Amino acid sequence: MPVLDPNPQNGQKKLLGIFGLILLIGVVISVIATIAAP
């Protein structure tokens, strides 16, 4: 069974969305930290 299905079920799509959101938050925090750094 492949880890990433071409047609993911609802649960897998939700998990992928949560992972994307965490990744996006991490990027935003790093950008803010870079701007705020002296």
Side-chain angles (χ1 to χ4, degrees):
M1 182 178 174
V3 178
L4 289 172
D5 276 324
N7 299 316
Q9 279 81 30
N10 196 25
Q12 195 172 0
K13 190 180 287 185
K14 188 179 177 184
L15 194 74
L16 202 69
I18 292 167
F19 180 72
L21 197 71
I22 291 167
L23 202 71
L24 191 72
I25 290 168
V27 169
V28 169
I29 289 170
S30 61
V31 168
I32 292 169
T34 304
I35 293 169

